[in-house]
Structure formats: C-alpha cells, structure tokens
Amino acid sequence: MASDAVELRNVTKTYGPVRALVGVSCRFEPGRVSVVRGPNGSGKSTLLGIVGTLTRATSGRVDHGPLGSRRAEVRKTLGWVGHESLCYPDLTGRENIELAAHLHGCDAGAAFRRAEERFEVGAFAGRAVRTYSRGQRQRIALARALVHEPRLLLLDEPTTGLDVAAVERLIGVVRDEANRGVTVLVVTHDAAFSDALSADIILLERGRRVAAASS
Ligand code: ADP
Ligand code: MG
C-alpha cells in the first residue's frame, strides 16, 4: 500500500489564552524519520497530537494524503507510543499485545509471535505489565503500536529511561519501519538518537517553527 506525506499548513492551536502552536507548516514524508525538537512547552506533543488526530487544530489545514482529514481512517493507519506506555498494567505483556491485535482486527496469535521475534519479549510477556522495568514496558508498547503495521508511527520521547542497548534496539526498529515506507514522527531531546536516524529536524520555539541551527 502506498502511503503519502502528512502535510500541515499554517496550523494554530490555542488552549484558551495559551497559544500552543502558531502558524506551523511542515511536511512529513513516507520512508523518512522526522524529529520534533524544542524546549518544554514549545508545542511538540501538541503537534504530535494534531498529526495523530487526537487534537484538533484551531485553524489551518492538516492533510493525510488520500485520507485527507478523515480522522477515523487516519487512526486505523496510526501507531502511537506516548510518554506513558498505554499498556494495561494488570494485564500481561502478551495480553496487551493480543488485545491490541483484536481491536485492530488482526490475528492475535500471529501478532504475539511477531512481537516475540522482533522485540524479544518472551522472557517477561507472561507477567503483569505493572511488574516491568521501563525498558520492558517500552518493548511491549512498541510491539502493541505496530501490531496492525501502521503507515504512520508517532513516538513521544521514546528513549527516556532506556539504557544504551534498548536505544540501539529502538533505532533498529525505527529504521526498519522507515525502510518499509512508514512515515515516522518522533519527539525527542536525544540528539544522538536523531543523528543515528539521519532525521529531518523540525524545531519549535514557543509554538512557532524556527529554522534549525546547523551544528
Ligand atoms: P511540549 O510537548 O513541547 O512540552 P506541549 O505541546 O505539551 O509542549 O504544550 C504546549 C503548550 O500548550 C504549553 O504551554 C502547555 O501548557 C499547553 N497545553 C498543552 N496541552 C494543553 C491542554 N490540554 N490544556 C491547556 N493547555 C495545554
Ligand atoms: Mg511533550
């Protein structure tokens, strides 16, 4: 299936008096990793939420290629890993993955087997997620987000709390996804992570897009 660029034109988002985004235009290409950077409160998560249709822009246009701005359609093609893992803590890792597969109408057994191979979750997938380390939770969260082979992958600060080996593994997964044509959008402060992905950089300052300084 061909995927198309996600395009934002002159997007503004206000929360009452707070201007979270001001006239932001950008384009996210299939097969590319784009990294959104900027200080706390600069609008990064808001931008991710708008691309992921969880938040509506106050004004401006958001286009998802042939899907246009049809939220239900966009959501079917979307994988999301937020600050929080979105896993159910009292379910096991395996149950979380199988539940996600069910919700997307995918084969649950096959989804878990893929997760076992790709994320090596076998050693802990039978325990409740609340007993996991941050890195273990992150692996389940990623596996969960990828069960339906999304065309658009959104990651909010995915390297926070991960050790070097876990970051390496994450880089591998993100590269593989981009190589199969997925549009990847990452919010991160981790410069080494975005360098490793040779990402396009989108820099935000107080809700406005500014030119990225060359390093
Ligand atoms: P970042 O992810 O870059 O730290 P956010 O996108 O979370 O920034 O927030 C941008 C601005 O919008 C901040 O001033 C924040 O307080 C405000 N904001 C974000 N979400 C909400 C909300 N649901 N209600 C009110 N203000 C919000
Ligand atoms: Mg944020």
Side-chain angles (χ1 to χ4, degrees):
M1 188 173 118
S3 53
D4 289 84
V6 180
E7 187 156 17
L8 273 63
R9 269 170 282 173
N10 205 20
V11 165
T12 291
K13 174 70 185 179
T14 55
Y15 295 100
V18 177
R19 301 206 294 173
L21 291 176
V22 186
V24 171
S25 297
C26 42
R27 196 180 153 85
F28 305 109
E29 302 283 348
R32 296 284 313 163
V33 181
S34 302
V35 164
V36 183
R37 294 177 67 173
N40 291 334
S42 58
K44 304 181 297 296
S45 295
T46 302
L47 180 61
L48 215 62
I50 285 173
V51 171
T53 77
L54 291 191
T55 309
R56 273 182 208 274
T58 308
S59 64
R61 277 195 66 84
V62 183
D63 257 304
H64 289 257
L67 301 178
S69 51
R70 295 199 299 275
R71 293 156 72 95
E73 295 302 309
V74 170
R75 283 181 193 186
K76 284 184 205 158
T77 74
L78 184 72
W80 185 293
V81 179
H83 290 252
E84 301 302 325
S85 75
L86 303 179
C87 289
Y88 292 95
D90 290 330
L91 298 184
T92 67
R94 177 172 190 150
E95 287 166 340
N96 269 283
I97 291 166
E98 290 178 345
L99 178 61
H102 274 302
L103 293 175
H104 285 289
C106 308
D107 182 304
F112 180 68
R113 282 191 298 279
R114 267 202 314 277
E116 248 183 328
E117 279 168 28
R118 193 168 186 196
F119 301 100
E120 296 169 34
V121 298
F124 52 86
R127 280 199 272 126
V129 163
R130 73 182 131 68
T131 68
Y132 287 5
S133 70
R134 157 95 192 156
Q136 289 170 334
R137 254 200 321 274
Q138 183 76 342
R139 273 141 86 177
I140 297 292
L142 263 173
R144 214 187 124 277
L146 295 172
V147 283
H148 57 307
E149 303 193 348
R151 307 305 308 168
L152 175 61
L153 181 60
L154 306 178
L155 307 172
D156 201 345
E157 309 276 9
T159 62
T160 307
L162 296 187
D163 64 22
V164 176
V167 172
E168 284 297 319
R169 197 180 302 114
L170 180 63
I171 288 168
V173 169
V174 172
R175 275 202 190 123
D176 288 348
E177 292 302 310
N179 287 340
R180 68 177 189 89
V182 172
T183 306
V184 187
L185 184 49
V186 190
V187 170
T188 185
H189 292 285
D190 188 335
F193 182 63
S194 54
D195 287 349
L197 294 165
S198 34
D200 303 326
I201 309 288
I202 311 281
L203 198 58
L204 292 178
E205 250 178 52
R206 288 189 228 150
R208 292 175 196 272
R209 185 165 176 197
V210 295
S214 54
S215 51

